[in-house]
Amino acid sequence: MMLRKPVFAANWKMNHGPTDAKAFLRTFLVHYARRADRTVAFFPPALTLPAVTDALRDRSDILVGVQNIHWEPKGAFTGEVSAPIARDAGARLVLVGHSERRHIFGETDEQTGLKCAAVAAAGLVPVLCVGEKLDERERGMEEAVVVRQLRAGVARLQPGQIATALVAYEPVWAIGTGRTASPNDASAMHAVVRRVLKELAGERAAHIPVLYGGSVSRGNVAELISAPEVDGVLVGGASLDADGWATIVRA
Ligand code: 13P
């Protein structure tokens, strides 16, 4: 029995406005019929979210989320979007602690913990992103970094809330570089993630999907998702083209 069905998640980052998104989904939906054996999710820019939820109104099988939120539910935080606002706009998932948030915008471990708690409090599902930088791997610190990020990200969640979250392992050196982790390296780190999740959430942790991200393409997706412990993929660049993405989700 398959405990966790594979998740194929598209992180569009700062790409595709509402007009592009509508055209993308017209093409994508022709090529991707509903399938019970996998989950597909889109993370468009926040302003594109309504166009995506509208285009997917007859496709409740496809999930939609936002790429970031502020941890406060509302208030004087110019430029920010809260979890309740994201939920009201149709989001069901929220990426938390993506490496670009951490390393370009200075997001801290503490903030990822606050954000995951805010996401769960709003009734949404956090997708906590963790991953080491190249120099950290070169110094043999990859496990310590990932475990630290993981523990901090879920620190304010109850075990039951942890059990409904998703985790994405995205080594920073593999993001947008064309250099993927080998299926063995991904599996090894996913096993570490699962061990920590089990310690924190007990047997329920067996249901938490742990995704891999970093230069996933139509050429390597099948090999990656068949690796032990890899429960799906979080894809940036290769999710931007509708035909290419339809090929990936059918892997
Ligand atoms: P790429 O697939 O472009 O390497 O990006 C990965 C990523 O950051 C997904 O969140």
Side-chain angles (χ1 to χ4, degrees), residues 11 13 95 98 100 170 174-177 213-216 234-238:
N11 175 10
K13 308 190 179 184
L95 294 183
H98 189 278
E100 287 146 23
E170 301 202 303
I175 296 179
T177 57
S215 295
V216 175
L234 179 57
V235 184

Side-chain angles (χ1 to χ4, degrees), residues 86-168:
R87 180 187 158 123
D88 185 26
R92 291 163 73 185
L93 305 168
V94 181
L95 294 183
V96 175
H98 189 278
S99 69
E100 287 146 23
R101 300 297 322 164
R102 294 177 192 267
H103 303 304
I104 301 175
F105 300 103
E107 195 165 304
T108 64
D109 285 340
E110 167 73 8
Q111 289 170 347
T112 65
L114 291 166
K115 289 182 182 197
C116 281
V119 171
L124 301 176
V125 173
V127 181
L128 176 64
C129 304
V130 296
E132 81 284 0
K133 294 187 288 184
L134 183 59
D135 65 300
E136 292 164 335
R137 177 163 280 261
E138 283 170 350
R139 286 182 286 132
M141 300 283 293
E142 65 273 21
E143 254 190 59
V145 169
V146 166
V147 170
R148 189 200 76 223
Q149 292 175 341
L150 182 60
R151 287 186 187 280
V154 302
R156 294 167 190 265
L157 300 181
Q158 301 302 318
Q161 293 174 315
I162 296 174
T164 59
L166 283 76
V167 174

